[in-house]
Amino acid sequence: MAPRMAASVCCSFVLFLFLLVCPVLSNIFPISFSRNELLDIRNSTPDNFLPTFEHSDVLLDILVGGAAFLYKRSKRLKRGKRAGALVKFRQRGFRTPLPSIHLANLRSLANKSDELQLLTRTNKDFLNSAALCFTETWLNGTIPDSALHLTGFQLIRADRVTESSGKTRGGGLCFYINEGWCTDVTVLNKMCCPNLEAIFINCKPFYSPREFSSFILVSVYIPPDARASVALELLADQITHTEQRYPDSFIIVLGDFNKAHLTRELPKYRQHITCPTRDSNILDHCYTVLKDAYHSVPRAALGLSDHCLVHLLPAYRQKLKSAKPVVKTVKRWTVEAERDLQACFELTDWSVFEAAATDLDELTDTVTSYISFCEDMCVPTRTYLTFNNDKPWFSAKLKQLRQAKEDAHRSGDKALYKQAKYTLNREIRVAKLNYSGKLKKQLSRSDSKSVWNGLKAITSYKSLSPSPEANQQLADDLNEFYCRFEKQKTGLTPCTPPNCPTAQPSTPCPSIPPTVSQPALKICEGDVCKVFRKQKIRKTKGPDGVSPACLKACAVQLSSIFTLIFNRSLELCIVPSCFKCSTIIPVPKKPKTTGLNDYRPVALTSVVMKSFERLVLAFLKDITGPLLDPLQFAYRANRSVDDAVNMGLHYILQHLDKPGTYARILFVDFSSAFNTIIPDILQNKLSQLSVPTSICQWITSFLTDRQQLVRLGKLTSGTRTISTGAPQGCVLSPLLFSLYTNDCTSKDPSVKLLKFADDTTVIGLIRDGDESAYRQEVEQLSLWCSRNNLELNTLKTVEMTVDFRRKPPALPPLTIMNSTVALVDSFKFLGTNISQDLKWDIHIDSIAKKAQQRLYFLRQLKKFNLPQALMTQFYSAVIESVLCSSITVWFGAASKSDIRRLQRTVRTAERIIGVHLPNLQDLYISRVKKRAGNIIQDPSHPGHNLFALLPSGRRYRSLSTKTSRHKNSFFPNAISSLNR
C-alpha cells in the first residue's frame, strides 16, 4: 500500500508540474501553424506514436489517490486538538455544563485592577471565564464599585466588617460574574466573623444542564489564625441550610481555606484543586458534590500576590450525554393478559404431557416450553426509548409544551414566549402534584415495592453497576476461567472425618447410585402455590423461559404440575437437566477491571428451580441447624454480621485486658469459594450431619452435569458442562457452602475461627510472645483447604496486629504456602472498618459521607410536597439505616466529636421533614437491648453464656473489664443497659 501511495503522489506531482509548465513555455516561445501544415502533420504521424493504456482505471486511481493525499496533507490539524478540558472549554464558550472559574487570593484588589483590565483584553480564556472569585480583596467603603469595574463583568463584593470580625484591615471577598454567561445574580447570604468570611450568590445562567436549576457560588476565606473547626461548623451549617432551600441548585464552594478541609464536616463534598497554590501547599480549595467536576490549571500570580491564579475548567459531563438512550422491550402484565393466561392453563390437560413423556427430563422440558409459549402468546409487549435524565412525571403533554416554548423563543415574540413559559411551569407543577398523589395512594394500599420504585424515580436514584464490554473473546475466556476448578478436581475425592478436619488422612467417598424409594421429603401442592405467589415479578426469567410474573399470576393453575415434577425428582434423586442450566452474568467487582478474576460470576438459573430449592432449604435447615458450628454466623436464625464482629472484638478485648498480651487477626480470602465444592465430598459430609441419603443423592445430582454459558450483552459463549461448585445465584448455594466448611474449626482455645459464609477470620490470642498455637492453626487451615479443593488467595489474605503494649517488639511475619502475608493498619471486616488501634474514625467517616449524600434524595421528595409520614419512612429506610449500620459495634466507643458529626445529619433531616427524629443515642440503646434480648433467648448463640443472672434473678452479672475500650464494647454495655 505504501509504494502505491508513493507512486500516486509522485505521478500526481509530475502531472501537476507538466500542466503548470506547458502554458508558461507556450507563452514564452509561441509557434504558429497553418491549417494545411497541421493536416500534413496528422497524416505523417504513425499510429503507434501515442502510448496505449490497457488499464486506464489504474491511472485514474493513481491520480485520484495522489490528489486526495495532497489535500489531506495540506489540511493541518489545529494546535491543541487533543488537549482535553481546555479545548472543550474554548469550543463551547459559555455553554459548558459547569461554569469556568478563575480563583485567586489577591492581597488587595485595587492594586491589581489595571492588570485585570489587561487580562480581559489580551487573554481569551480569562475573558470567557464565567466567574472570577477573589479572596483577600482588602476593600472598604471608601473604594467605589466604579473604580473596580471590568468590562463585561458584574461585581459582587463582601468587604470585611470591623464590628463583626474584630479586625480593621485585610479580608474581603468578591465575585466578577461574566454578563455573557449570566445576568440574573442574587446575593443569598453574607457572613463575617473572626473565624470565617463567606458570601453566597445564586446564578441563573442562560444555559445550564437540565439537572441543575441554578448555580450557587460560595466564596470562602478562613484566616490563618482562625479556629478551623469552628469555621467549618459554621460553613457546613450554612451550606446545609442552602441545600435545603435550593435542592435543585448546584453548589460550588471555593476560596482560601488555608489548613482547613471542608470534607471533615461535609464528607460528600470533593476537593478539585490538585495543583499547589502557594509554594508547595494547596491552600485554595474548590468543593462540589460531583466526582471529577473540575480540572485545575495553575496560572501566573497576579501582581505580587503569593498565591497563584487557578483556572478551574469544567470536566463534568451532563446526564443526557453520559449514557446513550436505551431501547427497552417489556411485557405489559395487564389484568386482561393475566386472565387470558390463567384461562389458557385452566383448559390445559397436564396428564397429556405426563403420558407423552418418557422420562423426567422430557416432561420438564415440555412443560416449561409450553408455559413460555403461552406467555408469549397471551402477554403483549411494549417497546420504548428511555433517556438518562427522564422523569416519571414528565408526560407527552409536557413535551409538547416544552417544544412550543422553544418555538416561541426562536420566533422572537416575547409575549408568546412569556405565555408559553408560564403555561409550561404551571403544567409541571400540576404534573408533580398528580404524581405525588399517585404515590400517596400507593402508600395507602401498603404497596411498598411500588412506593420505593416511585421514590427512586423522583430522586433519580440509580445504583451504579459497571457493566463489562460486549466481547466474544472475553465471554469465551470467562467461561473457561469459571470452569478452571473442573480441570483440577480429577482424582480429588477425599472425605473428611467429623471433628477432625485436617489431622486424619482422606479416604475415597463411595458414590451411592440413585434409587427409587420413599423420599424423605414430600412436597404438597399448597406449599408450591405459596412459594409461587411470593415471586418478585421484576426478576429476570431463567434459561427455561418461565418468568416469575407468570408463576405469580398463575400460581393456582401451575402448582399441580410442578408439584408432580418436584416429587418425582425427589423420588428418583435426579434434578431435571433444564433446571440445572445456568447463564453466567459477569458482574465487575470494581469500576476498572484488570483481569478475569475481577468479574464475579452470578448465575441466572431457572425461577422454577429456585422455588424448588426454597422448599428443600427449609427441610435442610431443620435437620442441620443444631449441628452447625456455633461460630458460623451466616444464614442462621438470630445471627448477623454484627454478632460476628462483636464476638470477635469481645475475644480480643477480653484477652488484651491481661498483661503481656496481643492479638493477631488473619482475614482469609478464598478464590471463587462457591465454585470449588466437590459434590462427592459434600455428600459424605451431609451424611455425617444426619441428612437422609435420598436428599444427599438429590443434592449430588443438583451439583453435577450442570450446563453453563457466559452472556455479555447480546453475546454468549459456548456451553460447558461442569460438576464442580455451586452457582452463585442459587438458593441452596450459601447453605451448602456452610455445610461444606462446617468441619473447619479450631482446636486450640487460644485461637478463634469465625466464619460468615466464605468470609473466614482467624484470631490468635497470644500471650508472652508464644505464637505456636496460632501458627499451627493457620497451617492446619491451609492443609484443610488443599484437601477440600479450596484455594487460598494469598494476595488478598491480609493480617492485622492489635498490640497495646508500651514497647511492642517487631513481630515475625506469617507465611502461608511460601507467601508472606501482608500487614495492614485497617480492614473492612463484614462491612465494618476495623483499625489496629480499635478506633472508629475511618468507619464513621465513611457512613457520614454516605448519609450526607443521601440527604439529597430527601430534599427532592420535599419538592413534591409529599406527606411527612412518607418522608419519615424514606429517611428510616435510606438514611437512618446507614447511620445505624453496625451501630452496636462502634457507637459505644466512638468519640464525642464523631457522634456530633453524625447527629448533624439527623438534625438536617429533621429540618427538611419538619418532624422530630430519634437521635442516635436512643437508637443505640434500643438496638443494644433488643440484640441482647435475642441472644439471651437463644442458648445456641456463642454469646449466650455471657449473660449470667445473679442469684436474685433480677439483674445480670457484670463482666470484668480493666480498660475503657473493653467497657465501651457491646457485651458490657448490653449488660449495663439491661440492669438499669
Side-chain angles (χ1 to χ4, degrees):
M1 188 66 185
R4 184 172 182 180
M5 181 60 69
S8 301
V9 174
C10 295
C11 293
S12 301
F13 184 69
V14 171
L15 179 62
F16 175 75
L17 289 179
F18 176 76
L19 296 176
L20 180 65
V21 172
C22 284
V24 175
L25 294 178
S26 63
N27 292 332
I28 298 175
F29 305 103
I31 302 174
S32 59
F33 293 92
S34 63
R35 180 175 180 274
N36 295 330
E37 290 175 343
L38 292 176
L39 291 174
D40 293 338
I41 292 173
R42 186 188 67 177
N43 295 330
S44 60
T45 302
D47 295 338
N48 58 356
F49 178 77
L50 296 175
T52 302
F53 294 97
E54 297 181 356
H55 304 284
S56 58
D57 55 341
V58 176
L59 176 63
L60 182 61
D61 291 343
I62 292 175
L63 295 178
V64 173
F69 179 79
L70 292 174
Y71 174 75
K72 291 180 180 179
R73 291 284 294 178
S74 62
K75 187 180 180 181
R76 295 183 177 180
L77 295 176
K78 295 182 179 180
R79 186 178 180 183
K81 187 68 176 178
R82 301 180 183 273
L86 183 59
V87 171
K88 292 179 181 178
F89 160 69
R90 291 171 178 170
Q91 291 174 347
R92 300 194 63 178
F94 295 123
R95 293 183 64 84
T96 54
L98 298 180
S100 61
I101 304 174
H102 278 80
L103 170 66
N105 182 316
L106 290 184
R107 296 174 60 86
S108 179
L109 174 61
N111 296 338
K112 300 172 180 62
S113 58
D114 294 337
E115 186 175 356
L116 294 176
Q117 290 283 2
L118 180 63
L119 285 174
T120 56
R121 292 194 300 266
T122 59
N123 192 322
K124 290 186 178 180
D125 293 343
F126 193 83
L127 177 64
N128 294 330
S129 183
L132 309 176
C133 178
F134 298 136
T135 60
E136 285 205 82
T137 55
W138 295 3
L139 299 178
N140 51 51
T142 61
I143 303 177
D145 292 349
S146 58
L148 308 171
H149 176 69
L150 288 180
T151 305
F153 288 86
Q154 178 183 355
L155 174 63
I156 298 97
R157 52 190 275 189
D159 302 341
R160 172 173 286 179
V161 180
T162 303
E163 293 78 9
S164 302
S165 63
K167 301 176 183 178
T168 58
R169 295 183 301 176
L173 307 165
C174 79
F175 277 110
Y176 280 101
I177 305 300
N178 199 317
E179 295 177 350
W181 175 68
C182 176
T183 56
D184 187 356
V185 183
T186 306
V187 179
L188 302 179
N189 188 18
K190 292 183 180 180
M191 296 180 59
C192 185
C193 63
N195 297 308
L196 175 68
E197 295 181 34
I199 178 174
F200 292 68
I201 63 173
N202 188 15
C203 302
K204 297 183 179 180
F206 302 115
Y207 169 80
S208 64
R210 189 177 299 175
E211 54 263 32
F212 306 135
S213 62
S214 64
F215 294 100
I216 296 180
L217 305 182
V218 183
S219 180
V220 177
Y221 175 63
I222 299 178
D225 57 347
R227 296 176 59 188
S229 59
V230 177
L232 291 176
E233 288 182 4
L234 292 173
L235 180 60
D237 290 339
Q238 290 298 322
I239 292 175
T240 303
H241 178 67
T242 305
E243 289 175 339
Q244 181 180 349
R245 289 181 57 193
Y246 304 92
D248 286 339
S249 298
F250 185 72
I251 299 180
I252 305 173
V253 184
L254 64 166
D256 185 0
F257 283 76
N258 280 299
K259 296 182 180 181
H261 295 275
L262 185 61
T263 53
R264 177 65 180 172
E265 295 295 329
L266 298 176
K268 66 178 180 178
Y269 279 82
R270 304 171 184 268
Q271 212 282 100
H272 302 296
I273 297 180
T274 56
C275 58
T277 58
R278 180 180 177 183
D279 297 332
S280 60
N281 301 317
I282 303 177
L283 303 183
D284 298 314
H285 297 175
C286 175
Y287 294 94
T288 66
V289 294
L290 295 178
K291 183 180 179 181
D292 300 328
Y294 279 101
H295 173 64
S296 59
V297 179
R299 303 298 185 191
L302 296 175
L304 298 179
S305 175
D306 55 354
H307 289 243
C308 69
L309 181 67
V310 180
H311 190 187
L312 295 170
L313 298 169
Y316 168 73
R317 194 175 186 185
Q318 53 264 50
K319 287 185 178 180
L320 188 61
K321 294 183 178 180
S322 61
K324 294 181 179 180
V326 179
V327 179
K328 293 185 178 180
T329 301
V330 297
K331 291 186 176 182
R332 303 182 64 184
W333 286 90
T334 60
V335 178
E336 294 79 7
E338 291 183 2
R339 289 175 180 174
D340 293 342
L341 194 58
Q342 291 172 358
C344 178
F345 292 141
E346 286 175 354
L347 298 176
T348 301
D349 186 4
W350 298 109
S351 61
V352 176
F353 294 88
E354 184 182 359
T358 58
D359 55 12
L360 182 60
D361 285 343
E362 184 177 353
L363 174 62
T364 309
D365 287 338
T366 308
V367 170
T368 54
S369 301
Y370 174 74
I371 294 174
S372 179
F373 171 77
C374 294
E375 181 181 341
D376 294 337
M377 295 298 296
C378 297
V379 182
T381 59
R382 175 192 174 192
T383 302
Y384 59 95
L385 185 67
T386 60
F387 293 88
N388 193 25
N389 58 350
D390 279 346
K391 297 295 182 182
W393 45 264
F394 205 82
S395 60
K397 180 181 179 181
L398 292 178
K399 292 181 180 179
Q400 296 176 358
L401 293 175
R402 185 181 64 184
Q403 186 63 38
K405 174 188 171 183
E406 293 178 356
D407 295 339
H409 176 70
R410 294 190 187 97
S411 65
D413 190 342
K414 294 184 178 180
L416 182 61
Y417 173 74
K418 185 176 181 180
Q419 180 63 29
K421 181 180 178 181
Y422 171 76
T423 304
L424 177 61
N425 293 336
R426 182 189 61 193
E427 292 298 328
I428 287 177
R429 289 193 295 269
V430 172
K432 289 183 178 180
L433 289 175
N434 292 337
Y435 194 78
S436 63
K438 179 181 177 182
L439 289 179
K440 294 176 185 177
K441 293 180 181 179
Q442 291 176 343
L443 182 62
S444 63
R445 295 197 302 263
S446 300
D447 187 4
S448 58
K449 180 67 176 179
S450 301
V451 172
W452 175 241
N453 290 333
L455 295 178
K456 291 195 295 185
I458 287 177
T459 58
S460 300
Y461 176 76
K462 295 179 181 179
S463 57
L464 300 178
S465 56
S467 57
E469 298 181 359
N471 187 344
Q472 184 64 47
Q473 184 63 37
L474 178 60
D476 295 334
D477 293 343
L478 284 172
N479 200 17
E480 185 73 19
F481 179 73
Y482 294 148
C483 298
R484 67 190 186 277
F485 297 104
E486 181 74 13
K487 300 176 182 178
Q488 301 173 6
K489 74 155 192 170
T490 304
L492 181 61
T493 56
C495 290
T496 308
N499 302 325
C500 190
T502 57
Q504 299 293 334
S506 58
T507 57
C509 296
S511 59
I512 305 173
T515 58
V516 180
S517 59
Q518 186 66 24
L521 173 62
K522 186 73 174 180
I523 295 176
C524 62
E525 186 175 338
D527 294 337
V528 176
C529 184
K530 185 177 180 180
V531 172
F532 282 174
R533 284 176 174 172
K534 293 182 179 180
Q535 296 293 327
K536 298 180 180 179
I537 61 175
R538 294 188 178 274
K539 293 291 184 179
T540 308
K541 59 184 179 181
D544 57 358
V546 180
S547 66
C550 178
L551 293 180
K552 184 172 184 178
C554 306
V556 177
Q557 293 77 16
L558 297 178
S559 58
S560 60
I561 182 61
F562 281 116
T563 302
L564 174 66
I565 293 175
F566 293 167
N567 285 323
R568 185 165 301 181
S569 173
L570 292 173
E571 290 174 4
L572 300 174
C573 302
I574 296 175
V575 178
S577 299
C578 67
F579 285 172
K580 296 192 290 185
C581 296
S582 59
T583 301
I584 306 298
I585 308 297
V587 178
K589 299 178 183 178
K590 51 187 178 181
K592 293 183 180 180
T593 56
T594 57
L596 298 178
N597 200 30
D598 292 336
Y599 295 93
R600 178 177 288 106
V602 177
L604 185 63
T605 58
S606 170
V607 182
V608 181
M609 185 59 197
K610 288 183 179 179
S611 303
F612 192 7
E613 291 179 64
R614 288 188 177 92
L615 298 172
V616 178
L617 178 67
F619 178 76
L620 277 178
K621 283 186 174 181
D622 293 339
I623 296 176
T624 62
L627 303 176
L628 287 177
D629 179 12
L631 294 183
Q632 171 62 268
F633 293 88
Y635 316 113
R636 302 180 65 181
N638 198 27
R639 302 288 194 279
S640 65
V641 292
D642 292 2
D643 291 335
V645 179
N646 281 326
M647 284 305 304
L649 288 176
H650 174 72
Y651 291 140
I652 295 171
L653 294 172
Q654 187 180 40
H655 176 69
L656 294 179
D657 279 352
K658 304 171 186 177
T661 57
Y662 63 95
R664 300 187 72 160
I665 311 173
L666 180 67
F667 301 100
V668 181
D669 184 85
F670 295 112
S671 295
S672 302
F674 282 38
N675 296 337
T676 60
I677 296 177
I678 301 298
D680 294 336
I681 300 179
L682 177 62
Q683 178 176 329
N684 183 68
K685 294 184 178 184
L686 292 177
S687 299
Q688 295 168 3
L689 292 173
S690 303
V691 177
T693 304
S694 60
I695 299 298
C696 294
Q697 295 174 1
W698 184 89
I699 292 175
T700 302
S701 174
F702 170 69
L703 296 178
T704 54
D705 297 329
R706 303 184 62 91
Q707 292 185 347
Q708 73 171 35
L709 56 87
V710 173
R711 188 178 71 191
L712 287 177
K714 297 181 180 180
L715 301 177
T716 57
S717 67
T719 304
R720 293 288 303 269
T721 302
I722 62 173
S723 298
T724 304
Q728 295 188 34
C730 292
V731 177
L732 281 175
S733 297
L735 178 61
L736 293 181
F737 184 82
S738 298
L739 298 176
Y740 191 72
T741 59
N742 188 58
D743 56 351
C744 180
T745 57
S746 173
K747 298 179 182 179
D748 196 292
S750 65
V751 179
K752 306 297 181 181
L753 199 149
L754 305 180
K755 293 179 290 186
F756 194 93
D758 58 338
D759 291 315
T760 303
T761 305
V762 182
I763 302 176
L765 308 176
I766 301 167
R767 187 170 187 175
D768 298 330
D770 184 9
E771 300 182 354
S772 58
Y774 170 69
R775 293 181 178 273
Q776 183 178 0
E777 288 295 336
V778 173
E779 182 67 23
Q780 293 296 322
L781 174 64
S782 178
L783 292 175
W784 183 93
C785 292
S786 62
R787 293 176 180 175
N788 289 270
N789 198 38
L790 264 71
E791 181 179 332
L792 283 173
N793 189 348
T794 55
L795 297 178
K796 293 185 178 180
T797 298
V798 297
E799 187 185 28
M800 187 174 70
T801 302
V802 181
D803 191 352
F804 294 109
R805 293 178 295 177
R806 292 185 178 181
K807 296 181 179 180
L811 300 178
L814 182 66
T815 303
I816 299 178
M817 300 170 58
N818 299 324
S819 178
T820 302
V821 179
L823 286 173
V824 295
D825 297 333
S826 63
F827 185 79
K828 192 171 185 179
F829 176 48
L830 299 178
T832 304
N833 293 284
I834 298 180
S835 57
Q836 62 180 3
D837 58 358
L838 297 185
K839 295 183 179 180
W840 305 102
D841 298 343
I842 300 176
H843 182 73
I844 292 175
D845 288 342
S846 64
I847 63 176
K849 179 179 180 180
K850 187 181 296 184
Q852 289 186 358
Q853 288 174 339
R854 297 189 178 188
L855 285 175
Y856 164 78
F857 304 131
L858 194 62
R859 297 187 184 97
Q860 294 297 312
L861 297 180
K862 182 69 173 180
K863 291 194 313 178
F864 281 79
N865 297 320
L866 294 184
Q868 292 179 343
L870 181 57
M871 288 194 291
T872 304
Q873 179 183 358
F874 183 85
Y875 164 80
S876 300
V878 178
I879 301 175
E880 186 181 276
S881 61
V882 173
L883 294 174
C884 297
S885 174
S886 301
I887 192 172
T888 59
V889 176
W890 53 265
F891 189 87
S895 62
K896 293 183 179 180
S897 60
D898 289 334
I899 295 176
R900 283 198 302 267
R901 283 199 297 142
L902 298 177
Q903 192 62 36
R904 185 183 295 116
T905 304
V906 179
R907 292 199 305 268
T908 302
E910 287 180 342
R911 290 194 294 265
I912 296 174
I913 302 174
V915 297
H916 176 72
L917 298 174
N919 58 42
L920 296 179
Q921 182 69 31
D922 295 339
L923 291 173
Y924 169 70
I925 294 175
S926 63
R927 297 201 178 194
V928 165
K929 289 183 177 180
K930 181 179 180 181
R931 188 74 225 126
N934 293 335
I935 295 175
I936 293 171
Q937 296 176 1
D938 184 5
S940 64
H941 196 285
H944 175 77
N945 295 330
L946 298 176
F947 295 89
L949 283 172
L950 292 173
S952 63
R954 292 177 297 179
R955 295 169 60 86
Y956 292 92
R957 188 180 302 278
S958 299
L959 298 178
S960 175
T961 59
K962 296 182 179 180
T963 58
S964 59
R965 68 176 72 92
H966 188 193
K967 182 180 179 180
N968 294 328
S969 61
F970 168 72
F971 287 103
N973 270 335
I975 294 175
S976 299
S977 300
L978 294 175
N979 289 336
R980 289 173 187 157

